Amino acid sequence: MKQTRFFLIAMAVAMLAVSCKSQYEMLLNSNDADTKFEAAFKYFDQEKYQKAAALFESLSVLTNGTERDDTVRYYWGLSNYRASDYYTAETNFSDFVESFPRSPFAPQARFLRIDCLYRSTLRYELDQSPTRVAIGAISEYISEYPDNENIKVCNEMLDDLNRRLDTKAYEAARLYYKMEDYIASRVALKNVLKDNSENVYREDILYYIAMSSYKYAHFSVRAKQKERYLTFIDDYLNFIGELPDSPYRKELDVLYRRAQKALGRPVDTELFEDVDEKDFAKERKQLVRDARKEDRKNRKLIEESKEDVVEGAVADEKDINAAEGAEKN
């Protein structure tokens, strides 16, 4: 008896699911624009964005060339955006701004397009081609809409993306230092600053340039140490000249005194002569942790700012209904 009851319940649930699915599919294939329009917004309001997107896509054929055309096309893109299908949404918004440049939805569609590009970028270890595309699009948006309310968020996104490129360049060069190839390390790090003198890791780069030249000299044969220690001293003086209050200063001061002693020059004090490089490892690790913490904080602020902006992209349902009512009357 219990098995029979369970079987009947399961059959009822299955039939209900099939019925609901068939109802949606019938709606999807329907040519009733009004019914489909209302249903699409109903699914959108219920946050069933994939179903809403499919309905808006199907509806776009029926409303092509009508007064509803831009509304349907915009919400098609917005549904894909809310469904986290940023690749499709970017295509939707790109087509939208090209087809409806004067639509009231156009400014927000332009912003959401660049937000899709931003969200499609990859972490710094991976290919940064999407990052460069996003930077170009965001820069163009800022140039075209300098007084737009979204400019603050755009600048934050731009800073984050540029920082990502800076991080990739810096870490790629620093990899040589980790591999103890100090000649390549110094050259690669100097090239990073040559390509972008305002790299956000400039202080760290100058530090590792000096460290590379010191270690290269330190591990060289005695006959070649003098010339190479002189290179380190140049790098050291360049560092303290630009960053006299850097937290790296104390460690480099120690190495400078050691280099001076190796060159047979008088040293003012032997205060740090017995300090080992490992004594500074904890400080360096803390600097890295602080930088990463600040980076996470900035990314969180960007996401919060974007959420506030995106909320404004969704038109109020009452306004839509009122507009549709006026259209019908």
Side-chain angles (χ1 to χ4, degrees):
M1 185 67 180
K2 290 183 178 180
Q3 291 181 345
T4 303
R5 182 183 298 177
F6 177 79
F7 177 76
L8 291 174
I9 292 174
M11 286 292 293
V13 171
M15 291 177 65
L16 181 61
V18 171
S19 175
C20 293
K21 181 179 180 181
S22 299
Q23 184 178 4
Y24 174 74
E25 289 181 347
M26 289 175 61
L27 184 62
L28 193 61
N29 296 321
S30 171
N31 290 324
D32 187 340
D34 291 337
T35 301
K36 187 175 289 190
F37 186 84
E38 293 177 3
F41 276 105
K42 181 179 179 180
Y43 280 116
F44 184 90
D45 292 339
Q46 293 174 350
E47 300 184 1
K48 297 178 180 178
Y49 299 120
Q50 291 181 334
K51 288 187 175 182
L55 284 173
F56 281 122
E57 180 180 6
S58 175
L59 189 60
S60 66
V61 178
L62 301 176
T63 58
N64 185 33
T66 69
E67 293 182 357
R68 289 178 172 176
D69 198 2
D70 65 331
T71 301
V72 169
R73 297 272 292 277
Y74 174 74
Y75 276 92
W76 177 15
L78 192 58
S79 297
N80 282 318
Y81 177 90
R82 288 297 182 90
S84 300
D85 185 357
Y86 301 119
Y87 179 82
T88 304
E90 190 276 326
T91 301
N92 292 146
F93 290 131
S94 181
D95 292 342
F96 181 90
V97 296
E98 184 176 346
S99 301
F100 306 100
R102 293 183 175 82
S103 168
F105 294 116
Q108 196 63 29
R110 288 188 175 91
F111 171 75
L112 291 175
R113 173 183 173 260
I114 63 174
D115 188 39
C116 288
L117 291 172
Y118 173 79
R119 291 174 183 268
S120 299
T121 56
L122 308 173
R123 64 180 189 270
Y124 78 85
E125 298 95 335
L126 303 177
D127 179 32
Q128 292 303 297
S129 297
T131 300
R132 294 184 178 88
V133 171
I135 288 174
I138 295 170
S139 299
E140 183 179 347
Y141 180 89
I142 292 174
S143 177
E144 291 182 4
Y145 304 97
D147 300 322
N148 189 278
E149 60 183 3
N150 299 326
I151 291 300
K152 180 181 177 182
V153 177
C154 288
N155 283 323
E156 290 172 349
M157 289 192 290
L158 206 55
D159 289 343
D160 179 56
L161 294 176
N162 282 318
R163 184 182 184 87
R164 209 173 301 178
L165 293 180
D166 286 351
T167 302
K168 186 176 183 67
Y170 164 61
E171 291 294 350
R174 195 165 71 99
L175 182 61
Y176 290 108
Y177 183 86
K178 293 179 180 179
M179 296 168 60
E180 300 182 359
D181 186 347
Y182 300 120
I183 301 177
S185 171
R186 185 173 184 273
V187 171
L189 289 163
K190 288 177 75 69
N191 283 338
V192 171
L193 293 183
K194 183 178 180 181
D195 293 337
N196 178 19
S197 61
E198 297 181 357
N199 188 295
V200 294
Y201 295 99
R202 182 178 178 86
E203 180 176 0
D204 301 88
I205 292 170
L206 291 172
Y207 163 76
Y208 279 108
I209 287 174
M211 289 297 295
S212 296
S213 58
Y214 176 83
K215 290 194 173 185
Y216 182 51
H218 180 71
F219 292 114
S220 295
V221 296
R222 186 177 297 275
K224 296 185 177 181
Q225 281 187 327
K226 180 177 180 179
E227 178 184 354
R228 293 169 183 177
Y229 273 128
L230 289 173
T231 300
F232 161 71
I233 290 174
D234 286 341
D235 292 338
Y236 165 80
L237 294 175
N238 182 51
F239 182 92
I240 65 170
E242 182 174 331
L243 302 160
D245 300 320
S246 170
Y248 293 127
R249 171 71 185 269
K250 184 178 179 181
E251 180 179 6
L252 291 178
D253 283 346
V254 172
L255 301 183
Y256 171 71
R257 291 183 175 89
R258 290 179 181 174
Q260 291 285 64
K261 184 177 180 180
L263 291 170
R265 296 177 177 178
V267 180
D268 294 337
T269 176
E270 301 293 332
L271 181 60
F272 300 114
E273 192 61 34
D274 295 328
V275 178
D276 190 88
E277 182 186 348
K278 293 180 181 179
D279 296 334
F280 298 98
K282 185 176 180 180
E283 294 182 25
R284 287 200 299 270
K285 289 180 180 179
Q286 185 60 47
L287 289 172
V288 172
R289 284 195 294 268
D290 290 344
R292 289 176 178 172
K293 183 178 179 181
E294 184 67 21
D295 188 50
R296 287 194 297 270
K297 180 181 177 182
N298 290 336
R299 291 181 68 84
K300 183 178 180 181
L301 290 174
I302 293 173
E303 291 301 320
E304 290 175 351
S305 298
K306 285 194 298 181
E307 286 301 321
D308 292 339
V309 172
V310 171
E311 285 300 322
V314 183
D316 188 89
E317 183 180 0
K318 294 181 180 179
D319 293 338
I320 296 173
N321 292 335
E324 290 303 312
E327 180 184 332
K328 291 178 181 179
N329 294 332

